[in-house]
Amino acid sequence: MHPTHVLEASMIVTTPALDTATGHVADMYSADLREDGLVYGHTRAMAVNPEAHQAFETLVRAIVPSIGLRTYELATLGAARAIGSQHCLLAHGRKTLRAGLFDEDELAHLVRDEPGSGLDDADLAVLEFAEKLSTDAAAMTDADAQRLRDAGFSDRQIVDIALAAGVRNYFSRALQALAVPVDDVPGLSPAIATALREAAQRTTPPVGDISGG
């Protein structure tokens, strides 16, 4: 049995209290407590506007069916890595492991951008599309989407891959902008947790520095 508590790491915003939470906020808190015995900082921050969080969840549910969980998680990890989001790399790293999409070695290679991740050409196209969207979207052209088409993705799937990467930018960047503390995620080995955290620190250089000078 997990201990039941709300993490008290400081944030500038005042978040809803656990003992008075109702409606969607209560559902958000209960989901964390049921899963891990704690309420994460990012959950507390998003609970300040539960309607926006509910809309976010609805959008994700509209994206996943056409592309499947593996492609959704690849777009999510690619975007989170490019943004430097420890929150989302840790959370979605665990999700990919629990879903059996990758084993720990494959996931570590994936987030480190090393050979050995077991990715095929379609997987790599999704990762690179999500990374470019997250670092230099204004420079993207039809050629970027064409690579996805060449990999076998349909028009709906190409749009939903873009939405998956875009929605990760929305969520991750909001957490970063609010300086939400990064909590430890139970169920990750020390080795994979370190790999995920380190991947967030090796972000793509800002636009203007991509060429190296």
Side-chain angles (χ1 to χ4, degrees):
M1 178 75 69
H2 292 290
T4 328
H5 64 283
V6 176
L7 291 176
E8 295 298 340
S10 62
M11 279 185 274
I12 195 168
V13 297
T14 300
T15 62
L18 176 62
D19 56 0
T20 58
T22 60
H24 187 66
V25 174
D27 293 341
M28 293 168 69
Y29 286 1
S30 294
D32 277 8
L33 291 168
R34 185 169 56 250
E35 181 76 16
D36 291 319
L38 55 88
V39 178
Y40 290 101
H42 60 78
T43 302
R44 292 166 50 213
M46 293 299 101
V48 175
N49 186 342
E51 294 82 9
H53 182 265
Q54 202 163 18
F56 167 78
E57 290 189 322
T58 299
L59 177 55
V60 171
R61 286 194 294 270
I63 293 168
V64 174
S66 83
I67 57 178
L69 185 61
R70 179 185 174 88
T71 297
Y72 174 78
E73 291 296 346
L74 282 169
T76 296
L77 291 171
R81 183 176 67 179
I83 297 163
S85 171
Q86 291 190 45
H87 302 94
C88 293
L89 282 170
L90 289 166
H92 285 271
R94 188 176 72 168
K95 285 185 179 182
T96 64
L97 293 173
R98 289 187 168 180
L101 302 176
F102 303 100
D103 61 30
E104 282 201 3
D105 286 341
E106 291 170 336
L107 180 59
H109 288 307
L110 188 161
V111 297
R112 289 173 177 149
D113 198 18
E114 299 171 342
S117 59
L119 301 181
D120 60 22
D121 288 344
D123 294 334
L124 291 170
V126 171
L127 271 178
E128 292 177 16
F129 185 93
E131 289 174 344
K132 188 168 182 180
L133 181 152
S134 303
T135 56
D136 198 10
M140 296 180 80
T141 68
D142 283 343
D144 296 292
Q146 184 65 48
R147 185 176 175 196
L148 293 175
R149 189 186 301 282
D150 292 343
F153 293 106
S154 68
D155 288 349
R156 169 63 186 265
Q157 289 172 324
I158 291 169
V159 169
D160 283 347
I161 289 166
L163 288 172
V167 79
R168 188 52 42 193
N169 275 259
Y170 154 74
F171 195 80
S172 297
R173 292 185 188 279
L175 298 180
Q176 290 174 329
L178 294 168
V180 175
V182 179
D183 305 313
D184 291 331
V185 174
L188 292 173
S189 71
I192 195 62
T194 296
L196 292 164
R197 287 181 179 273
E198 288 179 347
Q201 296 167 5
R202 294 193 301 273
T203 58
T204 304
V207 176
D209 294 336
I210 291 176
S211 66

